[in-house]
Amino acid sequence: MRIGELAGAAGVSVRALRYYEEQGLLAAQRTPRGQRVYPPAAVDRVQLIQQLYAAGLPSRTILELLPCVDAGVSTPESLARLAAERDRIDEQIAGLIATRDRLDRVIAIASDPTHPCMTS
Amino acid sequence: MRIGELAGAAGVSVRALRYYEEQGLLAAQRTPRGQRVYPPAAVDRVQLIQQLYAAGLPSRTILELLPCVDAGVSTPESLARLAAERDRIDEQIAGLIATRDRLDRVIAIASDPTHPCMTS
DNA sequence: CTAGAACCTGACGTTGACGTCAGAGGCAAG
DNA sequence: CTTGCCTCTGACGTCAACGTCAGGTTCTAG
């Protein structure tokens, strides 16, 4: 598939795909005239990249962990790195749950009809 | 307390505190000579701001929700906004859990001594 | 064969939450 | 009184993940 199709299928921009290639995250075959060609599996890979970005990992870290996550190739170092990132995500989850619960309590109090501070 | 003390107590930089004031998130009294003075409660407020930043909220949104979360002052609009952000955080948590579980599976497979792809 | 869509490289623009530097003033200690 | 640390304003720097534009090439439908 070509870059526009991949972008549509994976839900990202064409520019983002070229950026991923620039960062070494996503390789592409080329036609004799220089246009990028991707295998169908690239869709999953792009979505994985997006998922890791969403978890707050920078390109460099994703680059280090992708062979590990994607192909199952692992060294002791990459495994440790993987575990460290997992723990970081865990802390992030815990923080978000605390924030959500705090917002929930605020909502509960503010939704209480007997609440004294309604502006309306 | 002065700005340096608050920064130390809340675990942020002096620059960050001035930035929060610039964004309208954190008011400060001033000495006759113009130096900022904060009440002890500012520590909690700064940590709340940090928590909301960590949840991915931009300054503008925090500004809209702070009176609500901090003082319990709520309008129907801010309440809806609050609920929307709560739901966004919920989705964010779900995504992070999926990512963490994916990493967990990779770690489990790669840690398996019978795994075929260990480089070492 | 030709128009228009899709693609290419290269390069500069954007945004948010600060970092950092310059230059000047304030403040307790010795 | 001066040394040294803290503070002030103002302004430019940073970094990451792209957006966007320019100027040119390639592919495809009619």
Side-chain angles (χ1 to χ4, degrees):
Chain A
M1 60 196 325
R2 298 180 359 184
I3 196 170
E5 306 174 61
L6 177 56
V12 304
S13 70
V14 167
R15 177 67 174 96
L17 295 180
R18 289 201 269 251
Y19 176 73
Y20 297 164
E21 181 172 342
E22 197 179 311
Q23 301 300 306
L25 303 178
L26 182 65
Q29 303 294 335
R30 296 295 183 121
T31 68
R33 281 310 185 176
Q35 300 205 346
R36 293 173 180 84
V37 177
Y38 300 93
V43 178
D44 281 4
R45 189 179 178 99
V46 170
Q47 286 172 347
L48 172 58
I49 293 172
Q50 286 282 109
Q51 195 175 13
L52 295 176
Y53 273 133
L57 307 192
S59 294
R60 264 175 35 85
T61 305
I62 297 180
L63 181 58
E64 292 172 16
L65 299 185
L66 258 187
C68 201
V69 178
D70 202 39
V73 177
S74 51
T75 69
E77 299 82 36
S78 65
L79 200 52
R81 192 65 185 272
L82 212 51
E85 292 302 332
R86 196 215 84 105
D87 291 348
R88 222 186 39 76
I89 294 175
D90 242 15
E91 291 174 18
Q92 206 175 333
I93 292 172
L96 285 178
I97 289 177
T99 305
R100 185 199 56 187
D101 290 351
R102 179 154 193 178
L103 293 187
D104 270 343
R105 284 196 300 276
V106 173
I107 291 172
I109 293 173
S111 301
D112 181 353
T114 72
H115 184 257
C117 299
M118 288 297 285
T119 308
S120 62
Chain B
M1 59 195 326
R2 299 186 347 186
I3 196 170
E5 304 173 63
L6 177 55
V12 304
S13 70
V14 167
R15 177 68 174 96
L17 296 179
R18 290 200 269 249
Y19 177 73
Y20 298 163
E21 182 172 341
E22 197 180 310
Q23 302 300 306
L25 303 177
L26 182 66
Q29 304 293 335
R30 296 294 184 120
T31 68
R33 280 310 185 177
Q35 301 206 342
R36 293 173 179 85
V37 178
Y38 300 94
V43 177
D44 281 3
R45 189 179 178 99
V46 169
Q47 285 171 347
L48 171 59
I49 294 173
Q50 286 281 108
Q51 194 175 13
L52 295 177
Y53 273 133
L57 307 192
S59 294
R60 263 176 35 87
T61 305
I62 297 179
L63 181 57
E64 292 172 16
L65 298 184
L66 257 188
C68 201
V69 177
D70 201 40
V73 177
S74 51
T75 69
E77 299 82 37
S78 66
L79 200 52
R81 191 65 185 272
L82 212 50
E85 292 301 333
R86 197 216 84 106
D87 290 348
R88 221 186 40 73
I89 293 175
D90 242 16
E91 291 174 18
Q92 205 175 333
I93 291 172
L96 285 179
I97 288 177
T99 305
R100 185 199 57 186
D101 290 352
R102 180 155 192 178
L103 292 188
D104 271 343
R105 283 196 300 276
V106 172
I107 291 172
I109 292 173
S111 301
D112 181 354
T114 72
H115 184 257
C117 298
M118 287 297 285
T119 309
S120 61

